[in-house]
Amino acid sequence: MKAVIPAAGFGTRFLPATKAQPKEMLPVYDKPTIQYVIEEAVASGIDDIIIVTGRNKRSIEDHFDKSFELEQTLQSAGKDDRLRQVRAITDLADICYVRQKEQKGLGDAIYCAKKHINDQPFAVMLGDSITKGPVPCTKQLIDVFDKYESSAISLERVPKEKVERYGIIKGVEVEKDIYKIDKLVEKPLMHQAPSNLAIMGRYVLTPDIFDKIDETEPGVGGEIQLTDALSKLDAIYGNTFEGKTYDIGNRLEWLKTSIEFAMDDPESKDNLIQYMKEIVDGE
Ligand code: UTP
């Protein structure tokens, strides 16, 4: 299976940080966000990856490319650990890039990868969201896809007052944590939302989604919405992901994610707790 990672958006919620650099390259603790996404793909058994890029996205390509000068410098300095880290990034996966010429929405970004998918099921992983769980989120979806032989998307319950930020589904629970979806709505008003089950940025899709995107008119925000195209599929299942999804396209969530990931590192944890206590006590 291949994975498509859309990373061509303007990232307007995170300006000015994203004026000249993609939000997918913003570091979360010690790695760019998109590296976590690719590591999740690899951990889910996918190493054939298509990244959809746009303007100002060169740094993504550079990050996963070989850097001879850097490797030589690290080697001469005897920094073997760092050298191993840098080489591992290049060897992570086979990555190719397609360009979305105009930022016409997530559905349009996925459509740009059509020629590379060869009529096979494929995963979509948003380049600005990271997941953490006992089994990688995309792997959980592949299992649902295999069992129900239908497209599958990851879901998480969100507080009612936040439904307006997400695609929201209506569905029937067919087994624990798995829903057969009847309806999907992009960014509904709170009182019109059919539930509080939100689409969280990971999908495993049948290739007929491309025809459905082609038939989709611009929706919320004048963009070609993937959610609207998903509504046209014959069958689609949702999986409430056992784990947590982090949306780093929003600056406060990005900051919280960085702190949470730093807390997972025993080298930083105690210092960070001490520092946060000092800040809170000083308030
Ligand atoms: P978002 O809607 O979160 O990204 O899309 P955005 O449009 O960059 O964000 P804001 O609202 O302006 O801050 C989710 C993912 O889809 C990609 C983004 O790069 C992000 O990884 N995307 C979005 C595209 O590749 N192309 C688009 O036209 C829109």
Side-chain angles (χ1 to χ4, degrees):
M1 189 179 279
K2 297 186 184 191
V4 177
I5 303 181
F10 282 126
T12 53
R13 284 170 296 157
F14 217 137
L15 281 167
T18 47
K19 180 163 181 273
Q21 67 165 338
K23 66 176 160 181
E24 293 78 8
M25 282 301 290
L26 292 173
V28 167
Y29 187 44
D30 60 353
K31 276 187 273 190
T33 303
I34 196 164
Q35 188 176 331
Y36 290 96
V37 180
I38 290 181
E39 286 171 355
E40 179 193 326
V42 173
S44 303
I46 302 175
D47 64 359
D48 198 346
I49 289 168
I50 300 148
I51 302 182
V52 184
T53 62
R55 265 169 291 141
N56 290 336
K57 301 287 180 171
R58 276 294 286 278
S59 58
I60 299 180
E61 297 183 21
D62 289 344
H63 183 71
F64 294 105
D65 202 359
K66 199 168 172 67
S67 171
F68 289 103
E69 296 96 323
L70 177 61
E71 288 188 20
Q72 237 160 27
T73 308
L74 293 172
Q75 198 157 24
S76 316
K79 294 184 176 170
D80 294 340
D81 278 359
R82 297 273 178 233
L83 181 62
R84 258 194 301 278
Q85 265 180 346
V86 164
R87 284 190 174 149
I89 298 169
T90 317
D91 296 337
L92 259 179
D94 282 329
I95 304 176
C96 73
Y97 299 88
V98 294
R99 221 162 156 97
Q100 185 187 23
K101 294 192 184 74
E102 268 180 80
Q103 276 74 1
K104 290 195 281 189
L106 179 57
D108 180 69
I110 307 300
Y111 196 82
C112 295
K114 181 179 176 195
K115 280 196 184 142
H116 299 262
I117 292 300
N118 302 330
D119 224 14
Q120 295 294 319
F122 64 103
V124 172
M125 307 171 76
L126 298 195
D128 65 349
S129 73
I130 299 175
T131 70
K132 195 159 77 176
V135 176
C137 184
T138 301
K139 174 73 178 89
Q140 292 185 29
L141 286 183
I142 292 172
D143 293 343
V144 175
F145 178 90
D146 286 343
K147 183 164 180 186
Y148 289 91
E149 296 179 339
S150 299
S151 294
I153 63 179
S154 80
L155 303 171
E156 246 175 70
R157 287 200 182 276
V158 296
K160 266 234 139 68
E161 62 280 9
K162 291 193 179 164
V163 291
E164 298 182 11
R165 296 187 198 169
Y166 297 93
I168 300 291
I169 68 111
K170 176 170 175 264
V172 181
E173 195 169 15
V174 288
E175 66 173 281
K176 188 175 176 302
D177 297 334
I178 299 182
Y179 294 79
K180 182 162 188 341
I181 298 175
D182 306 321
K183 191 175 174 187
L184 303 99
V185 200
E186 185 62 27
K187 302 188 174 70
L189 295 173
M190 193 165 88
H191 66 277
Q192 287 172 348
S195 74
N196 66 339
L197 283 168
I199 307 171
M200 293 310 284
R202 297 291 184 268
Y203 314 73
V204 173
L205 302 174
T206 46
D208 55 337
I209 190 67
F210 291 116
D211 290 338
K212 308 300 178 195
I213 295 173
D214 207 18
E215 293 163 12
T216 300
E217 297 292 326
V220 175
E223 296 190 342
I224 309 282
Q225 297 289 352
L226 180 62
T227 306
D228 295 342
L230 293 172
S231 306
K232 300 179 201 280
L233 287 174
D234 292 335
I236 179 161
Y237 287 79
N239 176 35
T240 43
F241 168 51
E242 192 194 342
K244 193 168 167 190
T245 306
Y246 304 84
D247 170 14
I248 68 90
N250 158 328
R251 63 191 104 180
L252 187 58
E253 289 305 316
W254 167 80
L255 189 58
K256 287 184 190 170
T257 311
S258 286
I259 293 172
E260 220 177 293
F261 280 51
M263 293 285 282
D264 287 341
D265 179 355
E267 262 186 46
S268 299
K269 186 176 175 178
D270 292 343
N271 271 335
L272 187 59
I273 291 174
Q274 182 59 32
Y275 173 68
M276 288 191 294
K277 274 189 184 145
E278 282 167 21
I279 293 185
V280 173
D281 290 347
E283 276 299 299

